[in-house]
Amino acid sequence: METKQFKAESKRLLDMMINSIYTHREIFLRELLSNASDAIDKIYYKALTDDSLTFDKDSYYIKVTADKENRILKIVDTGIGMTKEELETNLGTIAKSGSLAFKTENELKDGHDIIGQFGVGFYSAFMVADEVTVISKSLDSEESYKWESKGADGYTIVPCQKDSIGTEITLKIKENTEDENYDEYLEEYRLKSIIKKYSDFIRYPIKMDVTESRLKEGTEDEYEDVQEEQTINTMIPIWRKNKKDLTKEDYEQFYAEKHYGFDKPIKHIHISVDGAVRYNAILYIPEKIPFDFYSPEYEKGLELYSNGVLIMNKCADLLPDYFSFVKGMVDSEDLSLNISREMLQHDRQLKLIAKNINKKIKSELLTILKNEREKYEEFYNSFGRQLKYGVYSDYGMHKEELQDLLMFYSSKKKLVTLDEYVSRMPEEQKYIYYATGETNERIDKLPQTELVADKGYEILYFTDEIDEFAIRMVMAYKEKEFKSVSSGDLGFETDENQNEETEEKDHKELFDYMKNILDGKVKDVRVSKRLKTHPVCLTTDGAVSIEMEKILNAMPNSQNVKADKVLEINVHHGVYDSLKAAFENDKEKLTLYTNLLYSQALLIEGLPIEDPVEFTNDICKIMV
């Protein structure tokens, strides 16, 4: 019996296949089951076009059998089978696909597409087997043949006896090594778990003889192990069922079964598309944030199936980072797969699916915001920060897409959208005002908010470290620019504006003296146009705010960023009279007052006092 060599560079390619192409050895079973499913698909399609054939679905199945003692694993199907020539062609040439040729010749359009696109999947069997035997009888032949190979050295094909049409693949499982436990591919529970994981939705029964413990007949407490044939796979995936036939509980059960989370999803999205690219998807918006969501261990992505066969556990390309909280799966018939089902080409179909999914998620979130406000606020409390990161990242590239989903707590004492804020703005209001701080309660007490609030203008409260950075990327919403209550120019007229030149001259000498006392600490000391009851506050000139300074300097490898701080004094407060008197009569006391006011302004902003001991001594000096 002559051993035939694999064609072309197949020997080298087979060696690469066995040792490096697939990340997880367990997928060999997925590949062989997918091929078996293809074989049944082919006979089904033949029956559609050949009146002499009848297709009784109950007669078609795949059977997996393990013989631990002899280290044999068998996969049997009742599909179309292969002739001698097809065995030679499909299994003798790496990357030659009988499924692809069949698909091309017959131009399948009825939805029973053929999974296999390359012939390499079969050879993954050599990752776990020393020897592979294929016995097959074709629908188109009276003869049966046996293909046999021990790997890259070649293969043999000889006639054999097989009564029924179909294919039987026998794997001689490798012995264990120090690094690999091959016994697991002979264990009943392990084989069941691999089938459930990858091939649960193959549309033909995958059967196994399963051991069950049962009460021994005629006894009350004696049990015996009994083997019975069971169908392991579900066969009909939920995403292929009619939405009208599914309940909320069905979707929640699928969420739990797939271990997408321990919570219940706020919303599910069931998508069925039959257009330029065909796919089904079930997406979930979770209720609670996963414990590892902001850690390096968290992996975003959707499960990706091709015709019901799991291709990737986490396909990150299907979700943008700002929607990384979304869970679920996508099943498509149109994905182009390259040499392994694990490695997807970045093709047009995948990008199109991702684009459509992105639009659908945004649309669903906007619908929840409009119709189920409480649910949206619950979601936003969990994942709003991620949306804000999305606005900030990639230099604001996604701001147009995300800005309508943003919410901020405001001086109205509730969460508001930017659209709601702008719709309430008085006609004369030029800007969208915001204030930054560690908590809403602290922002409530900020002196800088006094004048803006007194004019009846709503103020957005920024308490997340990302808020101000994100809003700087947005820049404006519906042609209304954002303005911090701590910025140099608030953008409206006050009584002080009318006498500004006179007032600046009156205070210039005093404030210049105070600026010298605080040399290097503040850029300027000025009359405040925003304070009403408070004596002092800090504001900023330039792009870096005080809140940004705090955040940037708290980061690793910070560059000691400094905001251009301005000390503002309320000239209508009693403190100003004390400053003026000290300036005229006691410069030492003015220095004391100036340092105290500066420290007070730092405390209001949540900034550290540079010298706490000096600060407490200064307070004691006033008390004495």
Side-chain angles (χ1 to χ4, degrees), residues 49-314:
T49 56
D50 188 341
D51 293 337
S52 66
L53 287 175
T54 57
F55 185 85
D56 178 9
K57 194 169 182 180
D58 294 337
S59 301
Y60 295 91
Y61 60 88
I62 303 163
K63 181 74 181 278
V64 178
T65 308
D67 178 353
K68 289 174 67 174
E69 188 176 339
N70 295 304
R71 303 190 72 77
I72 295 295
L73 181 67
K74 283 189 179 181
I75 296 95
V76 178
D77 70 67
T78 57
I80 200 167
M82 286 179 279
T83 63
K84 180 182 179 182
E85 290 73 22
E86 286 169 336
L87 283 168
E88 178 87 47
T89 303
N90 295 340
L91 304 188
T93 306
I94 306 287
K96 171 70 178 179
S97 173
S99 295
L100 184 60
F102 185 92
K103 178 180 177 182
T104 305
E105 287 169 15
N106 292 281
E107 295 183 356
L108 295 184
K109 294 176 182 175
D110 71 329
H112 275 69
D113 208 347
I114 307 299
I115 295 170
Q117 294 189 35
F118 291 86
V120 295
F122 167 78
Y123 295 94
S124 62
F126 286 102
M127 292 192 297
V128 299
D130 288 322
E131 185 175 342
V132 178
T133 303
V134 180
I135 295 175
S136 192
K137 183 176 183 179
S138 170
L139 178 68
D140 300 321
S141 174
E142 294 296 322
E143 304 296 325
S144 306
Y145 291 91
K146 179 169 73 173
W147 181 99
E148 205 163 23
S149 175
K150 292 185 178 179
D153 289 338
Y155 62 92
T156 60
I157 298 178
V158 295
C160 69
Q161 182 62 39
K162 188 178 190 308
D163 297 329
S164 58
I165 293 165
T167 301
E168 177 185 300
I169 299 175
T170 302
L171 310 183
K172 179 72 174 176
I173 300 299
K174 294 178 180 180
E175 297 290 341
N176 291 338
T177 66
E178 287 185 11
D179 299 324
E180 294 290 343
N181 173 28
Y182 293 102
D183 284 354
E184 63 177 314
Y185 305 118
L186 296 163
E187 296 289 347
E188 184 181 296
Y189 77 92
R190 183 73 174 104
L191 292 170
K192 283 172 64 178
S193 70
I194 295 172
I195 292 168
K196 290 292 288 182
K197 180 178 180 180
Y198 294 106
S199 308
D200 197 33
F201 304 120
I202 279 180
R203 49 187 167 260
Y204 305 106
I206 301 172
K207 300 180 179 183
M208 271 184 66
D209 291 329
V210 176
T211 304
E212 299 280 349
S213 184
R214 291 181 181 172
L215 190 65
K216 202 170 184 179
E217 195 173 337
T219 68
E220 293 183 1
D221 56 2
E222 285 188 49
Y223 289 83
E224 61 181 348
D225 288 339
V226 178
Q227 277 208 333
E228 66 171 22
E229 188 177 75
Q230 292 183 5
T231 297
I232 307 303
N233 58 325
T234 305
M235 287 186 283
I236 302 174
I238 184 174
W239 60 83
R240 285 188 181 153
K241 293 179 181 177
N242 194 317
K243 298 177 195 178
K244 295 176 183 177
D245 299 331
L246 295 167
T247 65
K248 180 185 175 186
E249 288 70 29
D250 291 327
Y251 290 108
E252 288 178 351
Q253 184 179 348
F254 184 68
Y255 184 85
E257 284 174 357
K258 298 301 289 181
H259 305 293
Y260 290 145
F262 296 105
D263 58 339
K264 282 191 177 181
I266 285 178
K267 206 76 174 175
H268 67 263
I269 309 168
H270 192 158
I271 309 170
S272 296
V273 175
D274 190 10
V277 59
R278 295 170 294 170
Y279 70 93
N280 293 292
I282 294 180
L283 312 175
Y284 294 95
I285 297 169
E287 177 184 38
K288 293 186 172 64
I289 190 167
F291 72 93
D292 61 345
F293 188 67
Y294 286 110
S295 73
E297 286 72 38
Y298 182 80
E299 282 186 87
K300 72 161 184 169
L302 302 175
E303 288 184 320
L304 184 61
Y305 292 80
S306 176
N307 284 292
V309 177
L310 182 65
I311 306 305
M312 295 177 74
N313 273 319
K314 300 277 187 182

Side-chain angles (χ1 to χ4, degrees), residues 500-516:
E500 186 176 336
E501 288 186 26
T502 307
E503 282 199 334
E504 287 300 332
K505 288 177 182 176
D506 290 344
H507 311 305
K508 188 175 187 313
E509 196 176 349
L510 166 60
F511 287 169
D512 282 349
Y513 193 90
M514 293 176 69
K515 179 181 173 183
N516 287 331

